[in-house]
Amino acid sequence: MQLIDSFGRVHTDLRVSLTDRCSLRCTYCMPEQMTWLKPETLLTAAEIERLVGVAVALGITRVRLTGGEPLMRRDLLDIVAGISHLPGPPDLAMTTNGIGLERMARPLAEAGLRRINVSLDTTDPDTFLRITRRNRLDDVLAGLDAVAEAGLNPIKINAVLQRGVNDAEAADLLAFAIDRGFELRFIEQMPLDAAKSWTREVIVPASEIIAELGRTHRLTPVDGRGHAPAARWLVDSGPAVVGIIAAVTEPFCSACDRVRLTADGYLRNCLFSLEEQDLRTPLRSGATDDDLAEIFIECVSHKKAGHEIGQRDFRQPARPMSAIGG
Ligand code: SF4
């Protein structure tokens, strides 16, 4: 059995949000005060392991743990160990803001985590404070050092550029990443903020980032993107690579193979989906694995061709990115 939609896209990538809470308050993501999901609605480690097991039996081969901030889950090591011990274990990765990684990097690697993406929009402490409302840059940098020492590979840096805030830092971030052997990926800001204040004007588009980096580096497109959200370029003949996820200005929905499980147990077939399927209620009411698999199959089968950002009837989903999982 496969997770296949009506456009023939086979889904092999599951993003699992572990919590909507975060240790930062990035201005493009969430306001200082948030209303969090109720603790009793969050899936337990055992429930997450079971649902991921059902998804793996349906052809999921890659699992990415997200949030909110996954390091805020006290049972994170149990979740990582549980998923990495599933039969035919999926390739297990995590996206994090890096705070707490200094302590957790090695245990996570030992529990079975293979790859990691760390969000870092600036290497300037003042700009970091302005973007995240928290003075934690040193913690993130220490976390990056720790994952490198723990042997996770590759280590990717996710950076969001905002007009008038850090849009002059593309080259500095690339120099930082190359110097430490990390792969840098810029992500265009999407209309998924909790405040619903996104406008197209805040985006620094992929074309502008490439032009800026091209002033100081020779960039050569890397072929064979497949289903990956990031287009990639070799930097000065390599081995360094830089990627851009241009979800707004150059959508890649036609190759999408991703489905998302929220921290409170709802399945979403697209970041921008206005509908989601409840897995938690059947899971807690005695559903069999076959029953749960049916919900996965049904959800993916109704996936739209892609997001409709920029179209007249586009509507931002009720859940912000922090409650969906990136
Ligand atoms: S917007 Fe939806 S369909 Fe497009 S790439 Fe993202 S998740 Fe996939």
Side-chain angles (χ1 to χ4, degrees):
M1 278 197 291
Q2 283 185 316
L3 292 170
I4 186 161
D5 68 18
S6 61
F7 301 92
R9 293 172 295 193
V10 177
H11 289 61
T12 57
D13 187 321
L14 176 66
R15 309 285 168 106
V16 182
S17 174
L18 301 184
T19 176
D20 59 333
R21 291 176 186 257
C22 189
S23 42
L24 299 177
R25 291 289 182 280
C26 296
T27 50
Y28 56 77
C29 185
M30 61 171 78
E32 185 66 63
Q33 302 299 333
M34 285 284 288
T35 304
W36 307 115
L37 295 172
K38 293 191 174 68
E40 65 273 17
T41 68
L42 297 189
L43 298 178
T44 65
E47 289 172 337
I48 291 168
E49 183 182 335
R50 178 159 175 225
L51 289 177
V52 174
V54 169
V56 167
L58 290 167
I60 290 293
T61 57
R62 292 188 310 284
V63 174
R64 176 171 294 278
L65 304 178
T66 73
E69 173 45 52
L71 285 163
M72 296 194 80
R73 282 283 296 234
R74 292 206 179 131
D75 53 359
L76 178 59
L77 291 176
D78 294 335
I79 294 168
V80 169
I83 294 173
S84 58
H85 284 101
L86 288 169
D91 178 31
L92 185 56
M94 183 171 85
T95 298
T96 169
N97 66 25
I99 293 172
L101 261 188
E102 184 179 16
R103 181 174 55 84
M104 290 291 284
R106 191 162 295 280
L108 282 167
E110 288 169 358
L113 190 70
R114 291 286 158 262
R115 297 182 291 110
I116 200 156
N117 289 39
V118 177
S119 301
L120 181 65
D121 300 333
T122 176
T123 55
D124 175 75
D126 293 334
T127 310
F128 187 93
L129 176 60
R130 181 178 171 196
I131 293 173
T132 69
R133 302 192 185 100
R134 300 288 186 273
N135 193 8
R136 306 292 299 269
L137 176 60
D138 286 348
D139 295 308
V140 180
L141 298 180
L144 278 165
D145 288 343
V147 282
E149 275 167 31
L152 292 180
N153 186 34
I155 298 167
K156 294 182 181 172
I157 305 284
N158 290 351
V160 175
L161 295 181
Q162 291 179 83
R163 184 73 66 203
V165 178
N166 60 342
D167 52 346
E169 291 196 48
D172 291 345
L173 283 162
L174 183 57
F176 169 86
I178 291 174
D179 186 49
R180 289 161 178 79
F182 305 147
E183 181 176 330
L184 176 64
R185 295 141 49 102
F186 293 100
I187 301 176
E188 285 181 348
Q189 193 179 331
M190 290 178 274
L192 288 168
D193 55 315
K196 295 191 166 50
S197 61
W198 180 93
T199 64
R200 214 175 172 94
E201 285 66 47
V202 299
I203 298 177
V204 180
S207 55
E208 186 177 324
I209 298 170
I210 287 300
E212 176 61 24
L213 297 179
R215 288 154 58 99
T216 46
H217 297 281
R218 189 160 43 84
L219 301 179
T220 312
V222 176
D223 292 335
R225 176 174 176 178
H227 299 282
R232 299 161 81 230
W233 288 261
L234 267 188
V235 181
D236 298 327
S237 305
V241 169
V242 64
I244 303 186
I245 300 180
V248 177
T249 63
E250 297 168 26
F252 36 81
C253 301
S254 61
C256 183
D257 66 348
R258 290 170 286 284
V259 58
R260 289 174 164 83
L261 177 62
T262 67
D264 56 346
Y266 284 79
L267 198 60
R268 299 177 58 86
N269 60 25
C270 175
L271 266 178
F272 293 93
S273 176
L274 298 175
E275 293 164 7
E276 43 189 35
Q277 270 65 43
D278 179 8
L279 278 165
R280 188 184 75 233
T281 303
L283 179 69
R284 292 181 177 175
S285 313
T288 65
D289 282 4
D290 284 348
D291 297 334
L292 298 170
E294 255 331 297
I295 297 172
F296 272 90
I297 291 167
E298 180 77 6
C299 177
V300 170
S301 73
H302 291 131
K303 181 163 174 152
K304 288 187 174 177
H307 70 61
E308 292 162 349
I309 300 170
Q311 296 180 26
R312 210 169 37 161
D313 44 5
F314 171 75
R315 276 198 293 143
Q316 184 172 335
R319 282 186 195 259
M321 179 70 127
S322 55
I324 295 174

